[in-house]
Structures are given as structure tokens and as C-alpha cells.
Amino acid sequence: DQQVKQNSPSLSVQEGRISILNCDYTNSMFDYFLWYKKYPAEGPTFLISISSIKDKNEDGRFTVFLNKSAKHLSLHIVPSQPGDSAVYFCAASVNTGFQKLVFGTGTRLLVSP
Amino acid sequence: DVKVTQSSRYLVKRTGEKVFLECVQDMDHENMFWYRQDPGLGLRLIYFSYDVKMKEKGDIPEGYSVSREKKERFSLILESASTNQTSMYLCASSLSVEGAFFGQGTRLTVV
């Protein structure tokens, strides 16, 4: 039972354009959402997060939007750069104190010059 | 900066061997995690620990055990390695809800 879903395995975007990565979840108990970026042969690195009390969080070129009613979140990267090419994982947690993260299957983003 | 260090980047083991994957973090984090990453399946939680000598099963604990004798160290043990345990193993630690910090990963191949 996949509680966090990333239905697009890959996305190709031209440099300078917007990249939009999507994520859906089924567990209404999730109250914290995160995006991680992963390069090959490296561990994931934290990118941006959002609490369920907000609907938007912005950090430089990265913005995460949360639509609780639709159980959907998205990551916008503007403008996209070739160095953004990586696998992006969406993750969610229930704030039980253990910060146990449930991950999606990932979306591979390719930004071409 | 938080540093999470996994003892090996690449490991090749034979079927039936007992395998130890070691992970050390240097930020005094309470929580530590072991995930495996497989194509098309994302990251799946094997075990986690929220304190020394405490452990909880994740989503796929079968065939694995863990040990946390010291706060900074969390070990994953494959009791009898099998080919379906060939995977990328990722250790993580966290202090708060802001998210986990990951090690560089161990690519384990069981032949």
C-alpha cells in the first residue's frame, strides 16, 4: 500500500523553464511533508519542507505547494538549471516524535541546456 | 554540518553470509533509520531507533536486525544474506521534524 505516490517516473525540462514535480498521499494523518534531492551514488539531501498548517513554502528557486483537500503537493523549481538534474523524492510524516518518513518512488528530473 | 557516515560505499557478499552495515552520526541525534532504495520502489524503511537500545520495525524488517548500543552508532545486520537483499542501503539520523540527514549509501551486492 503506497501511502505516498509520485506518478511521474521522469520529467524533462529545458533550462530556464519551470519544473513541476507532483506528489499525492493517502494518509490524512500526515502533517509534515518534505522534498529530497538525490544524485547518483549519493544519499538524499533535504531540499524543502512544509507543515500541514501552511499551503505554500518558498526557498529561493524552490516552492512547495500543499493542497490538503486533494492530498496533493507539488514542488516548483523556477528557473530550472542543469544542476537540478537529479531524482526527487517526496516524503511525509506523522509528527509522533519519531519523524518516521514515508517516501514516494521518486521522479527523475532532467534539465537540458 | 551534520555528518552521517556509512562504513562502506560498495560491498559484495555471498549468499548465506552474515553482513554488518555500520552507520555513525556526529550530531547527537536521537533518531536513526535504515532504508533501502530500489528502482521503482523509492526508499523503504527497514528499522528505526529513537534511543539507545531502542528499536522499532519499519515496513520491511524481514531478514534484517539492528543494534544501537551507543547513541551515535546504528548497525544493520543481515542475518543470512540473500540475493533479494541486493540493494542500496541508506542510513539517516534526525533530531526534529525538519527531516532526516542521510549518509552516502552502501551499494550491497549479494552473489
Side-chain angles (χ1 to χ4, degrees):
Chain A
D1 177 29
Q2 192 78 28
Q3 297 185 68
V4 178
K5 301 176 185 179
Q6 294 176 257
N7 292 318
S8 298
S10 63
L11 176 68
S12 292
V13 171
Q14 278 195 314
E15 182 177 7
R17 308 292 281 266
I18 184 171
S19 295
I20 301 176
L21 294 94
N22 293 303
C23 178
D24 297 294
Y25 62 96
T26 57
N27 187 345
S28 57
M29 298 297 291
F30 287 142
D31 55 7
Y32 204 78
F33 304 89
L34 308 93
W35 285 93
Y36 280 82
K37 175 179 177 179
K38 186 180 185 299
Y39 292 116
E42 293 184 14
T45 55
F46 170 73
L47 194 57
I48 192 169
S49 63
I50 188 167
S51 162
S52 60
I53 62 173
K54 295 185 175 181
D55 54 19
K56 177 183 174 181
N57 188 28
E58 193 171 351
D59 183 2
R61 296 187 296 114
F62 303 92
T63 303
V64 56
F65 295 92
L66 176 62
N67 181 334
K68 286 190 293 293
S69 60
K71 295 191 178 70
H72 177 83
L73 67 155
S74 60
L75 174 68
H76 292 209
I77 306 174
V78 183
S80 302
Q81 299 173 354
D84 296 329
S85 298
V87 178
Y88 289 78
F89 289 99
C90 168
S93 74
V94 177
N95 192 11
T96 62
F98 300 152
Q99 292 85 48
K100 185 178 115 175
L101 294 173
V102 180
F103 283 84
T105 52
T107 296
R108 183 177 302 278
L109 173 66
L110 177 63
V111 180
S112 53
Chain B
D1 279 355
V2 175
K3 191 158 186 183
V4 179
T5 303
Q6 294 182 229
S7 53
S8 304
R9 292 295 298 268
Y10 300 94
L11 215 49
V12 179
K13 295 293 182 180
R14 295 194 180 278
T15 302
E17 273 193 80
K18 191 168 186 175
V19 181
F20 293 86
L21 302 183
E22 307 286 346
C23 175
V24 177
Q25 51 99 357
D26 65 358
M27 284 301 291
D28 203 36
H29 284 173
E30 304 290 337
N31 308 307
M32 295 189 75
F33 309 82
W34 276 105
Y35 288 87
R36 63 178 280 180
Q37 183 197 355
D38 300 289
L41 297 176
L43 277 70
R44 294 179 293 164
L45 182 63
I46 305 170
Y47 266 96
F48 65 102
S49 167
Y50 52 91
D51 202 350
V52 175
K53 296 192 187 294
M54 305 302 288
K55 59 186 179 184
E56 293 283 340
K57 292 180 180 179
D59 300 317
I60 51 165
E62 296 78 20
Y64 303 95
S65 62
V66 290
S67 172
R68 187 141 182 227
E69 296 296 320
K70 294 185 178 181
K71 192 174 187 180
E72 68 270 18
R73 187 180 297 269
F74 192 35
S75 302
L76 179 69
I77 303 153
L78 285 66
E79 298 291 343
S80 177
S82 64
T83 54
N84 64 11
Q85 292 178 309
T86 291
S87 186
M88 168 71 86
Y89 289 88
L90 293 159
C91 173
S93 72
S94 75
L95 182 63
S96 67
V97 75
E98 276 73 40
F101 293 87
F102 283 83
Q104 78 277 25
T106 297
R107 170 74 65 185
L108 172 67
T109 302
V110 182
V111 298

